[in-house]
Amino acid sequence: DKEVAQVWFEKLQEMINLHGIEASDIYNFGETGFMIGVGKDQWIITREPQRKIVDGTISNREMVTVVEAVSTDCFTVPPVIILKAKSLLYRWFDVLQGDEHLAVTENAYINDALAFQWIQHFERHTRKRTKGKYRMLICDRHGSHFSYEFIHFCEQRNIVLYFLPPHSSHILQPL
């Protein structure tokens, strides 16, 4: 809804003004999932033959989630790659090329504990480059971003959380 988006942007500007947040201190935090592995041949039947099909369901692929944050001046926080596993394997670290981080969960999705570790990771990588008193972190309303530990940590370190409206991340989220 255009009106909901307009109100959201107006309130965003109010929060930025209220806290005196510098443009370079605004970050967007998001997770994206993708599948790795080899897909199987499949037929997809649709009423819209011109429509591009982007995802099949029958495959031997594993899910991977990447957690990332980018500032308005294009600074990127090193990503966290979440794999489906019970423990990390030493050989996985051989393929890392930069300052990426690996994590594991039973389903390859972020959870409360991992989100809390991520916000600490964000703090370490953005603290020294902060120009104003506050940083703003724009994120969706996933439950792991609403834990007491996550919010309390942000409040203690002058990280203003600003949440996207429900069911709007596919339209409004900068990432």
Side-chain angles (χ1 to χ4, degrees), residues 4-158:
V4 170
Q6 182 64 38
V7 169
W8 182 83
F9 279 108
E10 290 169 3
K11 289 182 178 182
L12 171 64
Q13 189 60 56
E14 288 175 18
M15 288 295 282
I16 291 168
N17 294 342
L18 176 67
H19 295 288
I21 299 171
E22 300 286 331
S24 62
D25 294 335
I26 300 172
Y27 296 83
N28 179 222
F29 159 44
E31 309 93 357
T32 187
F34 58 94
M35 298 180 85
I36 58 173
V38 179
K40 297 180 180 177
D41 291 342
Q42 50 195 301
W43 283 86
I44 300 173
I45 301 170
T46 177
R47 291 184 182 159
E48 299 175 325
Q50 302 303 319
R51 185 174 175 187
K52 182 179 179 185
I53 304 299
V54 294
D55 190 21
T57 56
I58 302 172
S59 70
N60 63 349
R61 298 178 186 194
E62 287 290 327
M63 184 70 175
V64 174
T65 300
V66 177
V67 183
E68 52 198 348
V70 179
S71 70
T72 56
D73 66 351
C74 298
F75 174 81
T76 58
V77 175
V80 174
I81 303 163
I82 306 172
L83 304 167
K84 180 180 177 180
K86 292 187 180 185
S87 61
L88 292 167
L89 298 177
Y90 185 73
R91 64 185 160 104
W92 291 346
F93 293 91
D94 293 338
V95 298
L96 296 180
Q97 297 176 357
D99 201 12
E100 305 94 357
H101 295 267
L102 291 178
V104 295
T105 61
E106 294 203 13
N107 58 8
Y109 296 119
I110 195 165
N111 57 30
D112 291 357
L114 199 49
F116 184 61
Q117 291 175 19
W118 183 87
I119 195 65
Q120 294 171 58
H121 169 76
F122 172 82
E123 161 69 10
R124 282 190 304 276
H125 287 279
T126 62
R127 179 184 336 119
K128 291 181 181 175
R129 69 176 310 271
T130 303
K131 293 188 173 141
K133 182 177 179 184
Y134 292 93
R135 285 165 283 173
M136 176 177 276
L137 188 59
I138 299 171
C139 53
D140 63 21
R141 294 174 182 262
H142 190 275
S144 64
H145 314 151
F146 278 107
S147 73
Y148 173 79
E149 292 82 9
F150 191 96
I151 293 171
H152 186 65
F153 183 89
C154 291
E155 288 174 348
Q156 289 181 320
R157 284 153 183 89
N158 294 334

